[in-house]
Amino acid sequence: MKKVHVNTGKPYDIFIERGITENCGEYIRNVSKAKKAMIISDTNVSPIYGERVKKSLSEFGFDTFSFVFKAGEQSKRLDTVYSMYSELTDNGFTRSDIIVALGGGVTGDMAGFAAATYLRGIDFVQIPTSLLSQVDSSVGGKTGVDIPQGKNLVGAFWQPSAVLIDPDTLDTLTPHFFADGMGEVIKYGCIKSTELFDILESCDNIKSIIDDIIYRCVSIKRDVVERDETDKGERALLNFGHTLGHAIEKEHNFQEISHGQAVAVGMVMITKASEEKGISEKGTANRISELCIKYNLPVSDRISLESIVKSSFSDKKSTGSSISLVVLDRIGSSRIFSVKKADMFDFCNV
Ligand code: GLY
């Protein structure tokens, strides 16, 4: 078992252990005196892991309840959260009870947001079951929902009481969703760790070392989040590839292309541009591109650069007349680089 302690305003531990889903009750009891636990999950994950989580919670004295929503980004809306509030109030959940988020990024973000706002905040635990949520979204306390104007535009910082990562759950992921998570894994190597990037380049069986890879990614994220919990500075580096990536996702109406795929394209596009401008070491874009291809991720997209750039102006990191991009000096070293919106097309046009 690997453990990563996160020293944020509310400190908590991340546990990485095969089979932890079956013993989750014990870990959750260690961080909560709650009488009731609401398991929030979706229609894909609940049938596979719902019962074992419920059983383990019951063994440790929790009265368990379940809220299951239709799987998919389309459910990540305020009305789904409203239905969660109804389920919580109908079952008499108080401030001392707990929410258990069981699933991928959509589940964790939305259940976390319900936890942050129900009765002005109750505890929650993350049990992420996708690679993307295990290496990224379950850690750091960003919770929220999408609104028609954009993704994650409504939310709150609300740290979980614990994160329980079971790499066995990756066995039920399709190759598409595994690749999706690899987009974020590659991002961590790019922004902070040459060692991780080198491992990804040389490895010929990623699944055999995935526990260590998850550990490395969450440790990087922990370090960044501890220094900048509320995303006022360094945490923005975690958005490498995301400004153009989000724009690509938006141009596809959040269909056809997944988050990790769009981030892969975004990382390659922005690094080609920064390399061209002499910001990034020569050959960096090519290394990222080859790594993305190795892990079944796309490196270009059919949407025109003009539309991508235009769409990127509604990014949360876009302020006034400038846009803050994350660029690499070289693999493992990243920084923020501000570009005037008026120059953004020329900057990206290589
Ligand atoms: N996924 C980016 C962040 O947590 O800040």
Side-chain angles (χ1 to χ4, degrees), residues 39 55 108 225:
I39 304 164
K55 185 166 173 279
V225 166

Side-chain angles (χ1 to χ4, degrees), residues 212-230:
D212 177 61
I213 297 291
I214 295 168
Y215 176 75
R216 284 174 187 271
C217 293
V218 297
S219 301
I220 293 170
K221 182 151 188 186
R222 181 271 314 273
D223 292 347
V224 173
V225 166
E226 279 185 353
R227 289 191 290 263
D228 179 21
E229 184 173 346
T230 54

Side-chain angles (χ1 to χ4, degrees), residues 136-137 139-142 157 184 187-188 221 225 231 235-236 238-239 242:
D136 193 55
S137 61
V139 176
K142 275 191 182 173
F157 288 101
E184 295 285 355
K187 173 198 82 179
Y188 284 111
K221 182 151 188 186
V225 166
D231 206 3
R235 190 164 176 169
L238 298 174
N239 286 327
H242 284 57

Side-chain angles (χ1 to χ4, degrees), residues 155-166:
F157 288 101
W158 191 249
Q159 302 295 341
S161 301
V163 181
L164 311 181
I165 299 178
D166 182 351

Side-chain angles (χ1 to χ4, degrees), residues 73-82 106 109-110 113 143-156 246 249-250 253-254 314 316:
E73 185 79 27
Q74 289 76 11
S75 292
K76 199 175 161 188
R77 298 191 313 251
L78 282 168
D79 55 352
T80 312
V81 176
Y82 189 84
V106 169
D109 284 9
M110 221 174 9
F113 185 63
T143 72
V145 291
D146 305 334
I147 56 173
Q149 290 80 357
K151 256 186 99 168
N152 298 324
L153 290 188
V154 171
H246 272 156
E249 278 183 283
K250 203 168 161 201
N253 294 319
F254 299 101
S314 60
K316 288 198 287 303

Side-chain angles (χ1 to χ4, degrees), residues 255-308:
Q255 283 154 9
E256 293 175 33
I257 189 160
S258 65
H259 179 70
Q261 288 178 317
V263 166
V265 177
M267 291 190 294
V268 172
M269 280 178 75
I270 204 65
T271 310
K272 277 185 180 166
S274 59
E275 202 176 303
E276 170 84 9
K277 306 294 174 297
I279 299 165
S280 306
E281 190 175 271
K282 285 269 173 247
T284 308
N286 200 38
R287 279 183 80 189
I288 300 172
S289 178
E290 284 182 358
L291 200 56
C292 290
I293 291 166
K294 175 176 177 180
Y295 290 103
N296 301 315
L297 288 160
V299 293
S300 61
D301 192 75
R302 66 170 168 78
I303 305 285
S304 72
L305 180 62
E306 207 169 6
S307 305
I308 297 172

Side-chain angles (χ1 to χ4, degrees), residues 10 65 67 77 82 94 97 138 188 195 209 223 295 322:
K10 171 187 171 180
F65 300 81
F67 178 91
R77 298 191 313 251
Y82 189 84
T94 69
D97 293 319
S138 66
Y188 284 111
E195 201 177 304
I209 56 162
D223 292 347
Y295 290 103
S322 296

